Amino acid sequence: MTMKFRILGPVEAGTDSGETIAVGGPKTKTLLAALVVNANQTLRIDWLSDAIWDGEPPPTAAATLHSYVCRLRSRLAATGPDGADRIRTDADGYRLRVEPGELDSELFQDLMDRGRAAAEQGRPDEACDLLKSALKCWRGPALANISAKFAEVYAVSLDESRVAVMAEWLEHELSLGRHQEVVPELRVLTQRYPLRQRLVRLLMLALYRCGQQAEALHVFRAARHALVEELGVEPGSALQALHQQILNNDAVLEHRHSADTAGRHNLPPDVEDFTGRTDEVHRLLEVITPDDPSRTALLVNAVNGMPGVGKTALMVHVAHLLADHYPDGQLFLELHGHRPDRRPRDPADALGALLLLLGVGEQALPATLEQRAAMWRTQLMHRRVVVVLDDAASLAQVEPLLPGSRNCLVLITSRGRLDGLRTRHTMTLEPMSERDAGMLLGRMLGEARTAGEPDNVGILANLCHRLPLALRIVGARLGNRPSWRLGDLIERLRDPDGLNRLSTATLSLDASFAESYRRLHATQQRVITLLGAHPAESFDVGAAAMAAALDPAEAERVLESLVDANMLESRGIGRYAMHPLLRDYLLGTGTGRDDAARPRNRAEARTGATRLPATAAAA
């Protein structure tokens, strides 16, 4: 028998045969929960004492904790050899050994990831099965029998993931025409979560497709009442648009059965805690008029910006808001313009991937770029599809991928500006406002975590310079360390190597900057490296020209090219500035360290700043 640890419901330990171990009373269960949540990590005795007694440990806490550990250790060992030696005593605390496959939350995460991957690859049936299997890992609310404060944030995060997977599963079921089957489940969920507009939208659509138009409209009215009463806000644009379509008996809401017209939907899930960007979303939506009969040209919107500023999240969010207007498909394709482990996607390869998403057989794909582009445009001639082309490298990569139909919408993200691209609207995305950055941190960490440190939320947001990727990394770091206060991380980010702390297993600010730096040509690298060592907030053409030994005209051309690549910001004619986090990266030992002009360490970089002319300091 092997051990099993379960936190997706009441916290339990057991075996793969289904046996549950009686670990003891509430305090012992709380100890088990703390050890499982922080599996394979040593937890200090003082931290465990605070966790078990909610910050008010008795004078005998250390001795009592030791007795709880001994009791739990003996209960685990009683199951057999695999349960022995599970709890290790380290120099300053205790550690629970949990092997791969033994924790139910890890199984849930694996099935969820595989389900999403299947959906992205155009396999909705497989996605449904995998997401449904993921949901079967749950036995109730996460850590349901643990009342300790340390478990609150962790439980909320897990429960949010569960609701998101429920919505994704039901959305895929609905896309496959199973509207009758999903109505009961959606009724239960919307009663439990009346403010979740995505669930309300799915229930309305399912009811409408079941011929229950009046009931679908009633669901909208009830949701609107709840939103106004509870939050003081009106329903979002997607929900209001669906309401209007139901009122109009819009034919686009009908499920399409034939393989020839079946929609393909591989958009990544919308971000559950998408925050702010109200003006940017409005600006993107106001120029999109899907049903304008006078328009004859393809709709193209493009967003560019520096690494980590949130371009992909914004465009995916907008695509979800517009999904009902493009019922024949919502497609997402990564173009790998700035992936360190991938070359930018060849246009012919990209067209092949898009055609496969539409259901074209691999054997039927034409050989040449021109033939694939012609087939792509033919396939979309009578379809209403939104296409998100993410992380474009160049105009030459994107142009062959544009459909010819006025019925389609293309949303493009890129780090640099794609000059020459014929768009309805082009936007350079800036870091978040201070208010929105603070709200994002608050939503990621939860009110229980931030209520005691309101000032530190703003400090942390500003230390991240309001860059969404940095905020996400900070949120993930704190979310995985419930014992940390916000102030603990602030102290770490303020030291000279603070940038190195802005990374997780899957997110890295340093890597994002490194790839953008690598794609610059040698002169651009040399100039931006020298400017990164310059301490003033902004600088002019003359300062850059003197520092880089270039004539002013050449210096201005290089600086403007760096603006186009979103590595510098224009502050007016002839004046430029650099994002503080990019400056921190350049002062480190990142991708460009082998360049002859690049400082080898921070000390050398700071010293190098003195070589820049005094005119650079004028702000």
Side-chain angles (χ1 to χ4, degrees), residues 102-140:
E102 293 182 342
L103 181 58
D104 60 353
S105 60
E106 289 184 354
L107 176 59
F108 167 74
Q109 180 73 44
D110 177 63
L111 289 166
M112 177 180 70
D113 291 343
R114 288 165 55 197
R116 288 174 173 174
E120 289 177 8
Q121 293 162 15
R123 304 194 305 275
D125 283 300
E126 183 181 344
C128 283
D129 292 342
L130 288 165
L131 294 176
K132 191 173 183 179
S133 296
L135 293 170
K136 289 179 179 177
C137 296
W138 287 77
R139 298 165 292 110

Side-chain angles (χ1 to χ4, degrees), residues 390-451:
D390 186 50
D391 194 20
S394 66
L395 178 64
Q397 183 190 38
V398 167
E399 280 193 321
L401 313 184
L402 300 180
S405 171
R406 62 177 292 277
N407 298 318
C408 295
L409 166 68
V410 179
L411 304 174
I412 302 172
T413 74
S414 61
R415 295 215 178 156
R417 294 175 177 85
L418 302 177
D419 291 335
L421 180 65
R422 294 185 295 276
T423 65
R424 176 65 65 93
H425 183 67
T426 296
M427 175 193 301
T428 298
L429 195 60
E430 303 291 346
M432 303 179 80
S433 68
E434 184 172 349
R435 174 179 174 273
D436 288 344
M439 285 178 58
L440 177 57
L441 279 175
R443 293 185 70 175
M444 285 190 291
L445 299 175
E447 185 177 351
R449 188 80 175 274
T450 58

